[in-house]
């Protein structure tokens, strides 16, 4: 039985984290919202004034915005497709009785622990470089024309690099879920003559449903703010070809010093992320209880 | 009844699984191998895999020519500091929510998670301007606090899921046996809570160590941790593959090892216990 004394103690214990998160949310977000209605450029001090929705009009009608929105969606969708499909296949494979399963697991998850700046640099220079990159050398050895990955297929290249980092995470989560599958049920189905495909479709896949939802939820949160990989490999280019929403707002703020415009972009990014989040929270809400 | 698997099938799956995993792991392996080459061997055609003159020269040079050690120290201070501060704030909160749940506890937890959905870029400008005003740009403490706030919802959620698994009955039993509050904390609660706190700590060190958005935007040199320092190698004059590899290897080694130790907890932690 919780007494009033215990209640207030509990409140007291929760106060610091609730208070700090509240501040962390309200103060900067409020400021971003305020700036987004201002004509505010750090290169023109003293010219700050209220201009209503002009920043939004300007930001939303900028062709860079639509390109970056589409790039963001393409990259997130691409990485999610690779992680979910690849993750299911790899998890099923590693779940088979194999020699050295523990070591396979450990090597598999490694890319997830590599800091994004390192993986971006290693892929850009040591693999995708058209002159000394390993891919180029393999192409030469096979008598093919090497591909300048980041110049010819920039968005695909970035998606590949990010997929490499997130596929292991999906595999690990799905593998963990697979290992809690009721073996006896699977064996019973096998004895009853269910084909491997039918067992996968009606037994394994529904069992992994929750894990798949979790993978999509967590990865989407992190993928919407992918930044270092783009900064290090392409700087958003060529042109706008690898500019995502996050990168677009960053470049408006810290490269063009357009605080007002970038703030409007930041608010648009928050709104879009929340649309995705509501959708995802509903999805996860359904599987959680 | 156990499933009988023919040896041949087991070998077949073993070969395929190891093949796939070595391809996935290869970029890391290649980076580590390259870090022991001379710059000439690093760009040799055809590429040299194992038969070259192994050298530690790159490691020496990275340490001497750049302030590698000071960036390493920044990484340690920022990731350990933000984790410690986060735990200090989150442990009481998670504890209260797990053992004194009120009607609104679930709502508060969901709200905390929702703050994680806010893209960092939405608050980049105010944070940057505030930091500029208060002289916190390129300051370790500033970055440390921002990373703590970024990861706080995850810390609270993880601790909450761990604490909830401690049966409340055990506390009552200890009380019945006449244990005082201090003994209760020392002999009953601490041993049961420590593993959860330890895995939360490990996971948050990893997240903070690898964080790049805030470290790249809020630091330049003095407070730059390894994640930001490595990015400086993308400039044309930094393009020495062997040295790049040595610096990268040194930047990821501690966290990769820590990650390997905590991979099981990672699943629980990042999925908030939804996948077991």
């Amino acid at each position: 039985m919780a007494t009033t004394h215990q209640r207030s103690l509990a409140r007291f214990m929760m106060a610091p984290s609730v208070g700090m998160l509240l501040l962390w949310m309200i103060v900067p977000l409020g400021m971003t919202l305020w700036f987004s209605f201002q004509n505010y450029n750090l290169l023109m001090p003293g010219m700050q004034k209220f201009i209503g929705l002009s920043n939004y009009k300007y930001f939303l009608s900028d062709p860079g915005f639509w390109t970056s929105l589409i790039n963001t969606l393409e990259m997130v969708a691409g990485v999610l497709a690779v992680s979910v499909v690849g993750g299911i296949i790899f998890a099923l494979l590693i779940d088979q009785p194999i020699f050295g399963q523990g070591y396979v697991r450990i090597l598999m998850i490694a890319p997830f622990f590599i800091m994004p700046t390192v993986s971006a640099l290693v892929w850009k220079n040591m693999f995708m470089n058209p002159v000394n990159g390993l891919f180029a050398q393999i192409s030469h050895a096979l008598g093919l024309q090497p591909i300048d990955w980041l110049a010819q297929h920039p968005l695909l290249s970035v998606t590949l690099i990010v997929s490499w980092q997130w596929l292991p995470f999906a595999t690990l989560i799905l593998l963990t879920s697979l290992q809690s599958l009721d073996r006896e049920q699977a064996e019973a189905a096998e004895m009853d003559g269910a084909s491997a495909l039918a067992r996968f479709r009606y037994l394994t896949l529904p069992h992994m449903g929750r894990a798949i939802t979790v993978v999509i939820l967590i990865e989407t949160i992190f993928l919407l703010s992918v930044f270092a990989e783009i900064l290090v490999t392409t700087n958003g280019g060529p042109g706008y070809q690898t500019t995502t929403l996050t990168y677009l707002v960053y470049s408006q703020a810290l490269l063009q010093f357009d605080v007002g415009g970038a703030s409007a972009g930041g608010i648009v990014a928050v709104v879009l992320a929340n649309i995705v989040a509501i959708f995802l929270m509903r999805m996860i809400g359904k599987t959680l209880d | 009844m156990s499933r009988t698997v023919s040896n041949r099938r087991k070998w077949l799956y073993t070969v395929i699984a190891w093949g796939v995993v070595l391809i996935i792991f290869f970029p890391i392996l290649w980076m580590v191998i390259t870090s022991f080459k001379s710059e000439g061997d690093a760009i040799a055609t055809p590429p040299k895999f194992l038969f070259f003159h192994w050298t530690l020269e790159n490691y020496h040079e990275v340490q001497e020519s750049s302030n590698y050690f000071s960036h390493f120290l920044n990484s340690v201070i920022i990731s350990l500091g933000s984790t410690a501060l986060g735990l200090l704030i989150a442990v009481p909160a998670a504890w209260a929510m797990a053992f004194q749940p009120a009607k609104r506890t679930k709502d508060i937890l969901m709200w905390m998670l929702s703050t994680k959905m806010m893209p960092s870029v939405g608050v980049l400008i105010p944070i940057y301007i505030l930091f500029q005003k208060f002289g916190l740009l390129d300051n370790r403490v500033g970055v440390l606090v921002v990373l703590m706030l970024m990861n706080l919802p995850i810390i609270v959620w993880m601790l909450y899921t761990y604490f909830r698994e401690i049966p409340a009955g055990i506390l009552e039993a200890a009380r019945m046996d006449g244990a005082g509050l201090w003994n209760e904390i020392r002999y009953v609660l601490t041993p049961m809570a420590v593993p959860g706190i330890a895995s939360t700590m490990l996971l948050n060190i990893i997240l903070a160590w690898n964080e790049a958005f805030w470290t790249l935007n809020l630091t330049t040199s003095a407070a730059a941790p390894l994640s930001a320092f490595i990015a400086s190698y993308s400039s044309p004059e930094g393009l020495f593959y062997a040295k790049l590899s040595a610096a990268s290897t040194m930047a990821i080694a501690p966290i990769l090892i820590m990650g390997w130790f905590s991979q099981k907890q990672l699943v629980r932690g990042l999925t908030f216990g939804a996948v077991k």
Side-chain angles (χ1 to χ4, degrees), chain B residues 3-63:
Chain B
R3 194 153 68 141
T4 48
V5 180
S6 73
N7 234 352
R8 238 175 89 187
R9 215 169 109 191
K10 189 167 178 177
W11 273 110
L12 178 72
Y13 283 129
T14 301
V15 170
I16 299 173
W18 275 94
V20 166
V21 120
L22 286 178
I23 291 173
I24 299 272
F25 187 70
F26 184 74
I28 301 170
L29 186 68
W30 189 238
M31 178 187 84
V32 176
I33 290 176
T34 308
S35 72
F36 294 108
K37 290 178 183 173
S38 66
E39 290 296 347
D41 283 341
I43 52 166
T45 321
K48 299 186 175 178
F49 281 90
L50 292 171
F51 304 104
F52 56 86
H53 175 66
W54 291 65
T55 169
L56 283 172
E57 180 195 342
N58 302 305
Y59 287 89
H60 285 299
E61 249 177 77
V62 167
Q63 254 170 324

Side-chain angles (χ1 to χ4, degrees), chain A residues 31-251:
Chain A
M31 283 172 78
T32 307
L33 198 62
W34 171 248
F35 291 151
S36 72
F37 298 124
Q38 307 277 320
N39 181 11
Y40 183 5
N41 193 310
L42 290 176
L43 295 179
M44 295 179 282
M47 300 275 284
Q48 195 175 344
K49 63 168 198 272
F50 185 81
I51 51 164
L53 291 171
S54 295
N55 281 326
Y56 289 92
K57 232 194 273 170
Y58 186 76
F59 186 81
L60 292 174
S61 61
D62 185 353
F65 164 68
W66 292 103
T67 316
S68 67
L69 180 65
I70 291 165
N71 287 342
T72 309
L73 295 177
E74 277 183 16
M75 187 197 68
V76 173
V79 177
L80 281 180
V82 172
S83 339
V84 171
V85 176
I88 291 174
I89 295 171
F90 288 176
L92 285 171
L93 183 64
I94 299 175
D95 190 43
Q96 299 297 321
I98 54 172
F99 295 109
Q101 200 193 40
Y103 295 106
V104 168
R105 230 181 125 122
I106 276 180
L107 291 181
M108 180 78 209
I109 189 66
F112 184 70
F113 299 123
I114 308 300
M115 55 176 71
T117 45
V118 165
S119 80
L121 270 182
V122 167
W123 277 96
K124 177 191 178 186
N125 296 310
M126 291 164 66
F127 288 88
M128 291 173 170
N129 184 300
V131 183
N132 333 317
L134 207 56
F135 290 160
Q137 293 189 328
I138 293 170
S139 303
H140 275 305
L142 297 173
L144 300 168
Q145 194 63 32
I147 300 168
D148 187 352
W149 284 87
L150 286 158
Q152 286 169 272
H153 309 287
L155 192 61
L156 176 71
S157 305
V158 171
T159 307
L160 275 177
I161 297 172
V162 180
S163 299
W164 178 75
Q165 293 171 271
W166 284 95
L167 171 62
F169 173 76
T171 306
L172 185 66
I173 303 275
L174 295 171
L175 179 63
T176 308
S177 151
L178 258 186
Q179 287 175 338
S180 69
L181 180 70
D182 187 354
R183 298 278 156 187
E184 282 182 19
Q185 210 183 351
E187 275 159 27
E190 197 174 356
M191 301 262 288
D192 288 345
S195 70
L197 203 64
R199 271 179 285 144
F200 174 74
R201 170 75 185 80
Y202 296 106
L203 205 65
T204 317
L205 204 56
H207 176 78
M208 282 199 285
R210 176 190 271 195
I212 293 171
T213 318
V214 170
V215 165
I216 293 174
L217 174 76
I218 308 268
E219 289 201 1
T220 308
I221 295 175
F222 283 93
L223 292 175
L224 281 174
S225 46
V226 160
F227 173 74
E229 292 86 339
I230 297 169
L231 178 82
V232 170
T233 53
T234 61
N235 269 313
Y240 278 117
Q241 286 188 58
T242 52
T243 299
T244 58
L245 215 46
T246 296
Y247 197 84
L248 182 70
V249 175
Y250 153 81
S251 67

Side-chain angles (χ1 to χ4, degrees), chain B residues 4 11 17-18 47 50 73 76 108 119 141 184 200 206 212 219 222 229 233 250 256:
Chain B
T4 48
W11 273 110
W18 275 94
L50 292 171
L73 205 64
V76 171
I108 293 176
V141 178
E184 195 180 299
T200 309
I206 295 170
T219 67
F229 163 70
Y233 272 81
M250 284 195 278
L256 186 58

